[in-house]
Amino acid sequence: QKEVEQNSGPLSVPEGAIASLNCTYSDRGSQSFFWYRQYSGKSPELIMSIYSNGDKEDGRFTAQLNKASQYVSLLIRDSQPSDSATYLCAVIRGGTSYGKLTFGQGTILTVHP
Amino acid sequence: SAVISQKPSRDICQRGTSLTIQCQVDSQVTMMFWYRQQPGQSLTLIATANQGSEATYESGFVIDKFPISRPNLTFSTLTVSNMSPEDSSIYLCSVRGGSSGGSYEQYFGPGTRLTVT
Protein backbone atom coordinates (compact mmCIF):
# COMPACT_ATOMS: atom_id res chain seq x y z
CA GLN A 1 0.00 0.00 0.00
CA LYS A 2 1.35 3.41 -0.95
CA GLU A 3 1.82 5.88 1.87
CA VAL A 4 -0.22 8.54 0.09
CA GLU A 5 -2.54 7.67 -2.77
CA GLN A 6 -4.57 10.00 -4.95
CA ASN A 7 -7.51 9.23 -7.16
CA SER A 8 -6.39 8.38 -10.63
CA GLY A 9 -6.60 11.09 -13.21
CA PRO A 10 -6.58 12.95 -15.31
CA LEU A 11 -9.69 14.82 -14.22
CA SER A 12 -11.51 17.06 -16.67
CA VAL A 13 -14.31 19.43 -15.62
CA PRO A 14 -16.14 22.24 -17.39
CA GLU A 15 -15.57 25.82 -16.35
CA GLY A 16 -17.77 26.74 -13.39
CA ALA A 17 -18.12 23.17 -12.12
CA ILE A 18 -16.84 21.71 -8.86
CA ALA A 19 -13.63 19.72 -9.12
CA SER A 20 -13.18 17.03 -6.47
CA LEU A 21 -9.75 15.62 -5.70
CA ASN A 22 -9.29 12.75 -3.27
CA CYS A 23 -6.43 11.30 -1.29
CA THR A 24 -5.94 8.47 1.20
CA TYR A 25 -2.98 7.86 3.50
CA SER A 26 -1.69 4.81 5.29
CA ASP A 27 -0.14 6.16 8.52
CA ARG A 28 -2.95 6.49 11.03
CA GLY A 29 -0.75 8.64 13.26
CA SER A 30 -0.41 11.40 10.66
CA GLN A 31 -1.60 14.79 11.83
CA SER A 32 -0.75 17.27 9.08
CA PHE A 33 -2.16 17.31 5.57
CA PHE A 34 -1.53 19.56 2.62
CA TRP A 35 -2.57 20.26 -0.94
CA TYR A 36 -0.10 21.67 -3.42
CA ARG A 37 -0.75 22.97 -6.90
CA GLN A 38 1.91 22.57 -9.57
CA TYR A 39 1.70 24.24 -12.93
CA SER A 40 3.66 22.71 -15.77
CA GLY A 41 7.31 23.68 -15.53
CA LYS A 42 6.88 25.28 -12.10
CA SER A 43 7.55 24.16 -8.55
CA PRO A 44 4.77 23.07 -6.16
CA GLU A 45 2.80 25.84 -4.47
CA LEU A 46 1.11 25.26 -1.11
CA ILE A 47 -2.59 26.08 -1.39
CA MET A 48 -4.19 24.41 1.63
CA SER A 49 -3.19 22.89 4.94
CA ILE A 50 -5.55 21.05 7.28
CA TYR A 51 -4.91 19.52 10.67
CA SER A 52 -8.33 18.82 12.21
CA ASN A 53 -11.27 16.71 11.15
CA GLY A 54 -13.87 18.55 9.14
CA ASP A 55 -13.80 21.23 6.48
CA LYS A 56 -11.49 24.18 5.96
CA GLU A 57 -12.45 26.80 3.41
CA ASP A 58 -10.23 29.34 1.67
CA GLY A 59 -11.89 31.21 -1.15
CA ARG A 60 -12.94 28.72 -3.81
CA PHE A 61 -10.99 25.92 -2.15
CA THR A 62 -12.30 23.60 0.57
CA ALA A 63 -10.17 20.91 2.17
CA GLN A 64 -11.90 18.08 3.99
CA LEU A 65 -10.26 15.72 6.47
CA ASN A 66 -11.56 12.49 7.93
CA LYS A 67 -8.89 10.89 10.10
CA ALA A 68 -11.02 7.87 10.95
CA SER A 69 -11.25 7.00 7.27
CA GLN A 70 -7.69 8.26 6.58
CA TYR A 71 -9.06 10.41 3.83
CA VAL A 72 -8.45 13.98 2.73
CA SER A 73 -10.02 15.79 -0.19
CA LEU A 74 -9.90 19.11 -1.99
CA LEU A 75 -12.92 20.73 -3.59
CA ILE A 76 -12.51 23.55 -6.06
CA ARG A 77 -15.72 25.49 -6.62
CA ASP A 78 -16.43 27.54 -9.72
CA SER A 79 -13.46 25.96 -11.49
CA GLN A 80 -11.55 28.22 -13.85
CA PRO A 81 -9.21 27.35 -16.73
CA SER A 82 -6.43 28.85 -14.60
CA ASP A 83 -7.01 26.02 -12.10
CA SER A 84 -5.69 23.55 -14.69
CA ALA A 85 -2.62 22.03 -13.03
CA THR A 86 -1.37 18.98 -11.19
CA TYR A 87 -2.64 18.78 -7.61
CA LEU A 88 -0.46 17.00 -5.09
CA CYS A 89 -1.68 15.64 -1.78
CA ALA A 90 1.01 15.53 0.90
CA VAL A 91 1.13 14.21 4.44
CA ILE A 92 3.60 14.63 7.28
CA ARG A 93 3.90 11.21 8.81
CA GLY A 94 3.70 10.95 12.56
CA GLY A 95 2.60 13.57 15.02
CA THR A 96 5.54 15.94 15.16
CA SER A 97 6.66 18.88 13.05
CA TYR A 98 9.84 16.98 12.18
CA GLY A 99 8.24 14.19 10.19
CA LYS A 100 8.85 13.57 6.52
CA LEU A 101 6.50 15.20 4.01
CA THR A 102 5.35 12.46 1.66
CA PHE A 103 3.56 13.14 -1.61
CA GLY A 104 0.94 11.30 -3.58
CA GLN A 105 1.44 10.75 -7.27
CA GLY A 106 -0.62 13.80 -8.21
CA THR A 107 -3.85 14.32 -10.12
CA ILE A 108 -3.87 16.31 -13.33
CA LEU A 109 -6.86 18.63 -13.50
CA THR A 110 -8.03 20.23 -16.72
CA VAL A 111 -10.77 22.85 -16.66
CA HIS A 112 -12.16 23.38 -20.13
CA PRO A 113 -14.07 26.51 -21.17
CA SER B 1 6.12 32.51 3.47
CA ALA B 2 9.88 32.59 2.98
CA VAL B 3 11.40 33.57 -0.34
CA ILE B 4 13.56 30.73 -1.63
CA SER B 5 16.02 31.08 -4.47
CA GLN B 6 18.05 28.43 -6.24
CA LYS B 7 21.06 28.67 -8.49
CA PRO B 8 21.44 27.66 -11.23
CA SER B 9 17.89 27.54 -12.55
CA ARG B 10 18.95 25.08 -15.21
CA ASP B 11 22.07 23.46 -16.55
CA ILE B 12 23.23 20.99 -19.14
CA CYS B 13 26.15 18.88 -17.98
CA GLN B 14 28.29 16.11 -19.37
CA ARG B 15 28.25 12.69 -17.81
CA GLY B 16 30.92 12.09 -15.24
CA THR B 17 30.98 15.70 -14.04
CA SER B 18 29.47 17.21 -10.88
CA LEU B 19 27.10 20.10 -10.31
CA THR B 20 26.48 22.03 -7.12
CA ILE B 21 23.06 23.59 -6.61
CA GLN B 22 22.66 26.41 -4.14
CA CYS B 23 19.57 27.22 -2.09
CA GLN B 24 19.19 30.56 -0.32
CA VAL B 25 16.30 31.54 1.95
CA ASP B 26 15.54 35.11 2.95
CA SER B 27 14.89 34.17 6.59
CA GLN B 28 16.03 31.57 9.07
CA VAL B 29 14.23 28.26 8.77
CA THR B 30 14.17 25.23 10.99
CA MET B 31 14.32 22.54 8.34
CA MET B 32 15.68 22.36 4.80
CA PHE B 33 15.16 19.52 2.39
CA TRP B 34 16.21 18.47 -1.08
CA TYR B 35 13.78 16.75 -3.43
CA ARG B 36 14.00 15.31 -6.90
CA GLN B 37 11.20 15.32 -9.43
CA GLN B 38 11.72 13.23 -12.52
CA PRO B 39 9.68 13.95 -15.65
CA GLY B 40 6.02 13.15 -15.16
CA GLN B 41 6.60 11.95 -11.61
CA SER B 42 5.83 13.16 -8.13
CA LEU B 43 8.41 14.47 -5.68
CA THR B 44 10.93 12.19 -3.99
CA LEU B 45 12.80 13.29 -0.88
CA ILE B 46 16.57 12.96 -1.26
CA ALA B 47 17.64 14.14 2.17
CA THR B 48 17.11 16.48 5.07
CA ALA B 49 19.88 19.06 5.32
CA ASN B 50 20.96 19.43 8.95
CA GLN B 51 22.72 22.57 10.07
CA GLY B 52 26.28 21.90 11.11
CA SER B 53 26.06 18.13 10.74
CA GLU B 54 25.69 15.43 8.13
CA ALA B 55 22.49 15.30 6.14
CA THR B 56 19.93 12.57 6.72
CA TYR B 57 19.46 10.59 3.51
CA GLU B 58 16.43 8.65 2.36
CA SER B 59 16.62 5.08 1.17
CA GLY B 60 18.23 4.90 -2.24
CA PHE B 61 20.26 8.09 -1.86
CA VAL B 62 23.84 8.18 -0.58
CA ILE B 63 26.21 10.89 0.54
CA ASP B 64 28.88 10.05 -2.01
CA LYS B 65 26.45 10.69 -4.84
CA PHE B 66 24.54 13.63 -3.31
CA PRO B 67 26.74 15.45 -0.80
CA ILE B 68 24.83 18.17 1.03
CA SER B 69 25.99 21.08 3.11
CA ARG B 70 24.06 23.40 5.40
CA PRO B 71 26.43 25.85 7.06
CA ASN B 72 23.68 28.05 8.55
CA LEU B 73 19.91 28.46 8.89
CA THR B 74 19.42 30.17 5.51
CA PHE B 75 21.67 28.33 3.05
CA SER B 76 22.24 24.84 1.72
CA THR B 77 23.92 23.17 -1.23
CA LEU B 78 23.29 19.89 -3.00
CA THR B 79 25.96 18.39 -5.24
CA VAL B 80 25.10 15.81 -7.86
CA SER B 81 28.31 13.86 -8.36
CA ASN B 82 29.61 11.76 -11.21
CA MET B 83 26.48 12.43 -13.19
CA SER B 84 24.80 10.07 -15.60
CA PRO B 85 21.78 10.67 -17.86
CA GLU B 86 19.60 9.04 -15.18
CA ASP B 87 20.29 12.06 -12.97
CA SER B 88 18.45 14.31 -15.40
CA SER B 89 15.69 15.73 -13.27
CA ILE B 90 14.40 18.78 -11.45
CA TYR B 91 16.02 19.30 -8.07
CA LEU B 92 14.02 21.28 -5.52
CA CYS B 93 15.01 22.92 -2.29
CA SER B 94 12.27 23.04 0.34
CA VAL B 95 11.96 24.66 3.76
CA ARG B 96 9.81 24.30 6.84
CA GLY B 97 9.49 26.12 10.13
CA GLY B 98 11.07 29.28 11.51
CA SER B 99 9.82 32.57 10.18
CA SER B 100 8.88 30.87 6.89
CA GLY B 101 5.43 30.24 8.27
CA GLY B 102 3.73 27.66 10.48
CA SER B 103 5.95 24.97 11.87
CA TYR B 104 4.33 22.32 9.69
CA GLU B 105 3.95 24.16 6.40
CA GLN B 106 6.59 23.45 3.80
CA TYR B 107 7.52 25.62 0.84
CA PHE B 108 9.51 24.98 -2.32
CA GLY B 109 12.10 26.86 -4.26
CA PRO B 110 11.78 27.35 -8.03
CA GLY B 111 13.86 24.27 -8.80
CA THR B 112 16.96 23.49 -10.85
CA ARG B 113 16.39 21.68 -14.12
CA LEU B 114 19.36 19.43 -14.79
CA THR B 115 20.03 17.68 -18.09
CA VAL B 116 22.92 15.24 -18.32
CA THR B 117 24.20 14.34 -21.77
Side-chain angles (χ1 to χ4, degrees), chain A residues 23-75:
Chain A
C23 174
T24 58
Y25 58 95
S26 61
D27 182 3
R28 186 170 288 277
S30 298
Q31 299 292 329
S32 307
F33 308 88
F34 308 90
W35 284 98
Y36 288 82
R37 177 176 62 197
Q38 187 172 26
Y39 291 115
S40 180
K42 301 295 186 182
S43 63
E45 172 192 9
L46 178 64
I47 57 172
M48 289 290 284
S49 59
I50 187 166
Y51 307 103
S52 304
N53 278 328
D55 295 359
K56 178 181 178 182
E57 188 175 314
D58 184 359
R60 294 185 297 111
F61 298 99
T62 299
Q64 299 174 317
L65 175 61
N66 183 327
K67 291 183 180 179
S69 300
Q70 295 176 240
Y71 174 92
V72 58
S73 67
L74 179 71
L75 300 177

Side-chain angles (χ1 to χ4, degrees), chain B residues 32-52:
Chain B
M32 295 183 77
F33 307 89
W34 287 98
Y35 285 78
R36 181 173 74 182
Q37 187 172 32
Q38 296 183 306
Q41 302 295 314
S42 189
L43 286 82
T44 300
L45 179 63
I46 297 172
T48 302
N50 301 310
Q51 191 219 346

Side-chain angles (χ1 to χ4, degrees), chain A residues 32 34 36 38 43-44 46 49 51 88 92 96-101 103-104, chain B residues 30-31 35 37 42-43 45 58 92 96 103-110 113:
Chain A
S32 307
F34 308 90
Y36 288 82
Q38 187 172 26
S43 63
L46 178 64
S49 59
Y51 307 103
L88 297 158
I92 293 180
T96 76
S97 62
Y98 296 98
K100 182 175 73 169
L101 184 66
F103 286 85
Chain B
T30 306
M31 305 180 77
Y35 285 78
Q37 187 172 32
S42 189
L43 286 82
L45 179 63
E58 295 299 306
L92 294 147
R96 190 194 309 168
S103 48
Y104 295 88
E105 297 181 345
Q106 191 165 321
Y107 300 92
F108 287 83
R113 183 179 296 272

Side-chain angles (χ1 to χ4, degrees), chain B residues 43-81:
Chain B
L43 286 82
T44 300
L45 179 63
I46 297 172
T48 302
N50 301 310
Q51 191 219 346
S53 65
E54 193 171 289
T56 304
Y57 290 85
E58 295 299 306
S59 175
F61 297 96
V62 295
I63 187 171
D64 290 346
K65 176 67 175 177
F66 297 102
I68 288 171
S69 77
R70 187 181 174 191
N72 56 49
L73 293 176
T74 63
F75 185 79
S76 177
T77 66
L78 167 74
T79 299
V80 186
S81 303

